């Protein structure tokens, strides 16, 4: 009877890039996200500079809670510090630092999202009112959706870290590194959103 | 250009830089209004772009398996327009004396516009033509070398070649200083930092070689 020999696993893929495929995937994802935010910012600036016809921005009667958003900004920037702490901890095999950092990051992110939800309910206008309201809810809502996705990633990493996963070797903490990169991206985007929408 | 999200640590640094930059923009907006903020934003954006563009990409030392386990020396040659130069050919013949496995990599140089448009066909075809000419000349001199067209970035081309070719030494050929883009971009120094093997730098002056070739009449004309 003829025997057929099979390889135990497919051959190692030849990659011309030195970057890990998962990391490369995150780079592409962030690049596409940047373009998505770019589209929303384009709409915002078009409405503000061109379509408003030189009238006041925000239009009369519309007011944004600048200081509440500043508090949210501080919360989100702080969450970047705790995220960084979590990753530095796992690199030093400090498991309590990893779990604590991820838990704090998650809680800070959740607080940000809850404050934003509260802000939406009390802001006094709705997306359909005018271009200002549409672009405001569009930009901040898009960002909020990203925070929500980030929170899911963080929760997943947190559960895994509580269960003893991850280690100090680079290969073993990629599951924390990737959500970390995404979280910092979301943070940077909020800084841009806050400055352009609330401050200037 | 360096990716600001290369790692979590880099991304975290990017957050801090963003906080600082946008705080400056916000301050300008509060004090001077929207146009002042726009001016500060544009100035900072230009400054950051210049800084990022000027910062060379950091690469860790490369690790690869040297030799092919066949007892032969493995020589990796990286050259572009100078691949058909006489000086380089002489150097390869000299180094390949005895038994050596030679791989010639010819990076496909492209214009930035074509690079961004992923229009590489012409660059690769031209690199392949130069490579074929060089391999034929080497074969005439008794050196049997293999060749392949590589990435436009010479360091990346070496990286790619080392995945399948365990080089014991690397030969990089460039135009003379002042005419070489690779020298301007410190390719030789970067390669010496990155690869822990002997790296030879061969300067090929194609202009000088051409002038010499034109000055010496062909053998048939010299005969009475």
């Amino acid at each position: 009877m003829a025997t057929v020999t099979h390889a135990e696993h497919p051959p190692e893929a030849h990659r011309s890039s030195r970057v890990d495929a998962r990391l490369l995937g995150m780079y592409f994802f962030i690049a596409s996200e940047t373009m998505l935010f770019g589209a929303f910012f384009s709409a915002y600036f078009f409405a503000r500079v061109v379509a408003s016809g030189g009238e006041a921005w925000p239009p009369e009667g519309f007011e944004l809670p600048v200081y509440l958003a500043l508090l949210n900004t501080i919360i989100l920037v702080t969450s970047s510090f705790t995220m960084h702490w979590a990753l530095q901890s796992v690199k030093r095999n400090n498991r309590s630092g990893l779990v604590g950092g991820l838990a704090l990051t998650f809680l800070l992110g959740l607080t940000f999202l809850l404050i934003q939800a509260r802000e939406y309910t009390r802001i006094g206008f709705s997306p359909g009112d005018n271009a200002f309201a549409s672009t405001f809810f569009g930009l901040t809502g898009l960002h909020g959706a990203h925070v929500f996705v980030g929170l899911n990633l963080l929760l997943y990493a947190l559960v895994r870290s509580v269960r003893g996963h991850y280690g100090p070797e680079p290969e073993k903490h990629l599951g924390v590194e990737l959500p970390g990169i995404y979280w910092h991206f979301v943070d940077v985007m909020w800084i841009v959103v806050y400055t352009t929408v609330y401050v200037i | 250009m360096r990716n600001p999200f290369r790692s979590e640590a880099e991304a975290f640094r990017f957050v801090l830089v963003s906080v600082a930059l946008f705080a400056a923009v916000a301050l300008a907006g509060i004090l001077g209004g929207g146009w002042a903020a726009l001016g500060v934003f544009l100035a900072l954006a230009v400054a950051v772009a210049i800084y990022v563009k000027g910062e060379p990409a950091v690469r860790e030392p490369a690790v690869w398996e040297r030799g092919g386990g066949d007892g032969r020396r493995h020589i990796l040659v990286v050259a572009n327009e100078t691949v058909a130069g006489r000086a380089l050919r002489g150097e390869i013949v000299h180094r390949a004396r005895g038994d050596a496995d030679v791989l010639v990599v010819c990076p496909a140089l492209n214009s930035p516009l074509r690079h961004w448009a992923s229009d590489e066909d012409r660059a690769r075809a031209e690199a392949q033509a130069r490579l074929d000419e060089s391999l034929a000349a080497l074969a005439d001199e008794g050196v049997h070398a293999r060749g392949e067209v590589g990435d436009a970035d010479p360091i990346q081309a070496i990286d790619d070649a080392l995945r399948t070719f365990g080089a014991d030494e690397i030969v990089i050929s460039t135009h003379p200083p002042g005419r070489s883009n690779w020298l301007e971009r410190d390719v030789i120094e970067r390669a010496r930092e990155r690869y822990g093997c002997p790296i030879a730098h061969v300067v090929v002056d194609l202009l000088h070689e051409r002038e010499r070739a034109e000055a010496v009449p062909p053998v048939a004309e010299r005969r009475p």
Side-chain angles (χ1 to χ4, degrees):
Chain A
M1 192 175 81
T3 54
V4 181
T5 52
H6 294 284
E8 286 178 4
H9 52 78
E12 196 79 7
H14 176 73
R15 291 183 278 129
S16 66
S17 171
R18 296 186 68 244
V19 183
D20 185 284
R22 291 161 290 183
L23 209 51
L24 195 62
M26 180 55 84
Y27 294 163
F28 282 132
F29 179 56
I30 285 182
S32 70
E33 292 286 75
T34 307
M35 287 185 251
L36 179 65
F37 270 98
F40 274 70
F41 274 112
S42 301
Y44 172 79
F45 282 111
F46 180 81
R48 180 170 177 168
V49 178
V50 182
S52 69
E55 285 179 17
W57 188 275
E60 220 163 289
F62 288 80
E63 203 177 327
L64 294 177
V66 178
Y67 294 106
L68 186 68
L70 177 65
L71 175 70
N72 245 355
T73 306
I74 293 167
I75 288 170
L76 210 55
V77 171
T78 308
S79 75
S80 263
F81 280 83
T82 53
M83 184 69 231
H84 188 58
W85 174 46
L87 196 75
Q88 293 304 309
S89 298
V90 72
K91 283 178 181 174
R92 291 165 177 76
N93 210 14
N94 173 4
R95 300 215 62 86
S96 54
L98 167 69
V99 174
L102 284 175
L104 273 176
T105 310
F106 178 81
L107 289 174
L108 287 167
L110 190 64
T111 309
F112 172 92
L113 214 52
L114 291 174
I115 290 178
Q116 195 177 38
R118 189 73 175 153
E119 178 189 331
Y120 278 1
T121 58
R122 299 198 160 198
I123 202 156
F125 56 87
S126 62
D129 285 355
N130 55 18
F132 165 77
S134 299
T135 52
F136 168 80
F137 279 105
L139 260 176
T140 56
L142 176 73
H143 181 268
H146 281 76
V147 174
F148 179 74
V149 171
L151 283 178
N152 282 287
L153 297 177
L154 285 173
L155 185 63
Y156 190 73
L158 178 61
V159 170
R160 283 193 64 191
S161 65
V162 169
R163 295 178 72 178
H165 295 193
Y166 306 125
E169 299 85 1
E171 262 301 302
K172 290 187 177 171
H173 60 246
L174 202 63
V176 183
E177 176 120 29
L178 292 178
I181 291 174
Y182 180 78
W183 192 254
H184 294 315
F185 165 75
V186 170
D187 203 348
V188 169
M189 277 302 142
W190 174 254
I191 292 164
V192 182
V193 169
Y194 175 70
T195 311
T196 50
V197 174
Y198 288 87
V199 180
I200 301 173
Chain B
M1 196 183 102
R2 192 169 177 150
N3 177 4
F5 294 99
R6 188 183 168 86
S7 65
E8 189 276 340
E10 298 258 355
F12 177 64
R13 206 175 305 149
F14 192 55
V15 172
L16 300 183
V17 171
S18 300
V19 170
L21 296 185
F22 280 91
V25 173
L27 198 64
I30 292 164
L31 297 176
W35 288 109
L38 184 65
V40 170
F41 173 76
L42 290 177
L44 288 174
V46 169
V48 168
I50 290 171
Y51 175 76
V52 171
K53 185 78 181 163
E55 191 182 22
V58 176
R59 294 184 195 238
E60 301 82 20
V63 180
W64 75 96
E65 200 176 327
R66 291 193 197 178
D70 53 6
R72 302 165 73 194
R73 270 183 320 115
H74 290 69
I75 305 169
L76 174 62
V77 180
V78 184
N80 199 319
E81 287 159 333
T82 58
V83 73
R86 270 191 210 167
L88 176 63
R89 211 159 57 224
E91 187 67 27
I92 296 172
V93 170
H94 169 71
R95 286 176 182 270
R97 268 186 309 193
D99 199 11
D101 190 1
V102 180
L103 174 67
V104 182
V105 172
C106 191
L109 270 196
N110 210 355
S111 74
L113 183 64
R114 285 179 184 273
H115 173 75
W116 283 107
S118 296
D119 182 9
E120 285 199 330
D121 292 354
R122 195 168 135 193
R124 293 189 76 85
E126 285 172 357
Q128 187 65 54
R130 285 195 294 270
L131 186 62
D132 290 344
E133 188 188 336
S134 172
L135 293 179
L138 283 172
D140 288 345
E141 307 224 22
V143 177
H144 295 286
R146 293 178 286 138
E148 57 185 51
V149 174
D151 193 279
D153 174 5
I155 300 290
Q156 186 64 56
I158 297 174
D159 272 4
D160 291 344
L162 290 178
R163 288 176 194 281
T164 52
F165 186 77
D168 297 302
E169 56 185 295
I170 301 173
V171 178
I172 303 176
S173 166
T174 69
H175 290 292
R179 297 211 304 268
S180 166
N181 282 327
W182 287 7
L183 289 182
E184 208 166 290
R185 285 158 49 198
D186 296 329
V187 166
I188 307 295
E189 284 73 18
R190 280 161 55 205
R192 286 192 172 129
E193 281 170 17
R194 180 161 167 71
Y195 308 107
C197 69
I199 292 181
H201 175 207
V202 179
V203 175
V204 177
D205 191 339
L206 289 175
L207 222 62
H208 183 64
E209 283 187 5
R210 205 169 298 140
E211 281 170 4
R212 277 188 60 186
E214 283 167 3
V216 179
V219 177
E221 285 180 25
R222 274 189 274 149
R223 283 179 185 156

